[in-house]
């Protein structure tokens, strides 16, 4: 098996975990299967950089002296807000020639500034998605997933999602067993798929200001298998259906129906990941009624069936 080179770009005010998270994953793969990865770091001048948390990181090499790697990792951090033009130029020149181009968190802004995300679907930290879309309209920014793959370019969301993406890349290179071994060693989940939302359904929606609606949001979360039609929810909130629908959307930023759909999907995913309950039992407990209704919801939202979702993302039993 040919050794793959992984290069992590360093710059002042980089986010330290954006760097160390993926590095630990690839280093773990190298320890597990020696000769698979050669990892290095480089900065523009080869000088130490100070991270946004105050740590000092000493790069291995000068960026200009590094040959094009197999996998190029571009981390994020405060230093992405006003990047050195030389770094943007280097990325523009070398990014198209690597097999895999990866960004972590706001590292997507560096790739976008170099024109490497034009016409591509990408993500970044939820707090910077609007800014990325506004400043780079040629990029198809998706604020929901923890990472996105589009051709040879992979972008991930905030901080720890770089670990999820690195594990997915190792699984692609060396297989699921190796990736699972690394995940266990790092005490992280291998099961987070790229299309998992950055937020839970509750956090993705705003919390209602009015107490009856706040309480109703919590009640929906605790009773996904109940009748959650607008008329029923409106009665619980003490409002007419029309007034309830308007108030719920105004205060949460989403419609009651969409909120219920997200809660039920999240509940079903959790049951498929964490329990051995059958698909029919999960569909009833999550409010879908029938396995076919749940299957349609999964295919529409995730592009996969419940059975395939469980096969891919439920942890293997401990030996």
């Amino acid at each position: 098996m040919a050794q793959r080179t992984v290069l992590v770009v360093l710059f002042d005010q980089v986010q330290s975990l954006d760097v160390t998270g993926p590095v630990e994953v690839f280093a773990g793969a190298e320890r597990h299967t020696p000769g698979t990865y050669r990892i290095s770091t480089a900065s523009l001048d080869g000088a130490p950089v100070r991270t946004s948390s105050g740590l000092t990181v000493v790069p291995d090499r000068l960026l200009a002296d590094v040959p094009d790697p197999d996998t190029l990792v571009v981390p994020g951090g405060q230093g992405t807000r006003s990047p050195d033009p030389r770094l943007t130029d280097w990325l523009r020149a070398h990014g198209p020639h690597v097999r895999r181009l990866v960004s972590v968190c706001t590292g997507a802004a560096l790739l976008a500034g170099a024109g490497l995300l034009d016409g591509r679907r990408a993500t970044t930290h939820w707090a910077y998605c609007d800014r990325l879309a506004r400043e780079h309209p040629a990029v198809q920014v998706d604020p929901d997933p923890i990472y996105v793959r589009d051709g040879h370019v992979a972008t991930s969301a905030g901080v720890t999602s770089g670990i999820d993406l690195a594990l997915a890349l190792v699984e692609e290179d060396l297989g699921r067993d190796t990736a699972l071994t690394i995940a266990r060693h790092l005490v992280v989940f291998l099961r987070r798929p790229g299309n998992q939302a950055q937020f839970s359904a509750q956090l993705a929606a705003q919390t209602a200001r009015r107490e009856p609606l706040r309480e109703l949001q919590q009640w929906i979360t605790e009773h996904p298998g109940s009748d959650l039609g607008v008329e029923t929810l409106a009665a619980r909130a003490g409002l007419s259906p029309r007034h309830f629908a308007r108030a719920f959307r105004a205060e949460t930023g989403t419609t009651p129906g969409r909120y219920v759909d997200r809660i039920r999907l999240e509940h079903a995913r959790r049951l498929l990941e964490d329990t051995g309950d059958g698909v029919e039992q999960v569909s009833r407990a999550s409010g879908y009624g029938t396995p076919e209704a749940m299957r349609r919801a999964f295919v529409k939202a995730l592009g996969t069936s419940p059975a395939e979702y469980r096969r891919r993302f439920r942890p293997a039993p401990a030996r």
Side-chain angles (χ1 to χ4, degrees):
M1 182 180 296
Q3 188 178 53
R4 299 172 173 87
T5 56
V6 178
L7 174 65
V8 183
V9 175
L10 299 181
F11 47 87
D12 282 324
Q13 294 300 299
V14 69
Q15 161 64 250
S16 56
L17 193 54
D18 288 5
V19 175
T20 59
V23 165
E24 288 294 341
V25 171
F26 289 115
E30 171 62 21
R31 287 192 295 270
H32 181 271
T33 311
T36 51
Y37 293 106
R38 180 162 55 85
I39 308 152
S40 63
T41 58
S43 67
L44 277 171
D45 301 315
V49 301
R50 192 168 181 81
T51 71
S52 56
S53 60
L55 296 174
T56 297
V57 181
V58 180
D60 298 310
R61 308 176 69 176
L62 182 73
L63 195 56
D65 295 339
V66 181
D68 289 339
D70 174 82
T71 301
L72 175 61
V73 179
V74 181
Q78 295 177 14
T80 64
R81 296 177 183 176
S82 299
D84 189 315
R86 294 178 298 162
L87 178 56
T88 302
D89 290 342
W90 188 92
L91 290 172
R92 185 180 296 111
H94 295 266
H97 304 297
V98 300
R99 184 172 72 92
R100 290 189 304 213
L101 180 60
V102 176
S103 71
V104 183
C105 196
T106 55
L110 295 179
L111 298 187
L116 298 170
L117 297 183
D118 287 356
R120 294 186 183 275
R121 180 169 165 260
T123 194
T124 186
H125 189 288
W126 62 268
Y128 296 95
C129 283
D130 286 346
R131 179 177 176 178
L132 182 65
R134 184 173 62 253
E135 295 182 354
H136 302 281
V139 182
Q140 302 167 26
V141 180
D142 189 339
D144 291 329
I146 58 173
Y147 63 82
V148 168
R149 305 283 299 272
D150 188 334
H152 81 294
V153 180
T155 53
S156 60
V159 196
T160 58
S161 61
I163 296 174
D164 297 289
L165 177 52
L167 284 168
L169 298 178
V170 168
E171 181 174 359
E172 178 183 280
D173 291 341
L174 305 178
R176 181 176 176 83
D177 288 345
T178 299
L180 182 58
T181 298
I182 299 164
R184 286 172 173 163
H185 179 74
L186 295 176
V187 199
V188 297
F189 292 114
L190 178 62
R191 67 189 182 193
R192 291 217 300 175
N195 55 12
Q196 178 169 317
Q198 294 192 39
F199 282 131
S200 68
Q202 284 178 284
L203 292 178
Q206 303 166 31
T207 301
R209 295 187 300 274
R210 274 186 249 191
E211 187 172 336
L213 294 182
R214 285 201 306 271
E215 292 177 354
L216 184 62
Q217 283 181 286
Q218 183 62 34
W219 188 85
I220 292 171
T221 302
E222 295 171 353
H223 300 85
S226 299
D227 176 7
L228 299 180
V230 170
E231 290 78 7
T232 301
L233 297 177
R236 290 193 66 88
L239 301 170
S240 71
R242 180 177 293 183
H243 187 191
F244 165 72
R246 285 200 305 264
F248 191 93
R249 180 163 191 168
E251 297 199 20
T252 67
T254 189
T255 65
R258 287 178 183 153
Y259 186 79
V260 168
D261 288 345
R262 290 174 183 172
I263 291 292
R264 283 177 166 163
L265 183 68
E266 187 172 284
H267 186 262
R269 289 167 70 165
R270 191 160 55 245
L271 291 179
L272 291 171
E273 293 171 0
D274 296 339
T275 75
D277 295 348
V279 170
E280 185 170 353
Q281 186 176 353
V282 170
S283 67
R284 288 198 304 269
S286 302
Y288 289 110
T290 67
E292 176 58 25
M294 185 170 74
R295 189 193 71 81
R296 288 197 300 267
F298 266 65
V299 170
K300 180 180 179 180
L302 305 175
T304 189
S305 68
E308 176 63 13
Y309 181 91
R310 166 171 274 172
R311 187 190 71 78
R312 293 175 60 191
F313 302 125
R314 189 182 179 197
R319 296 180 180 178

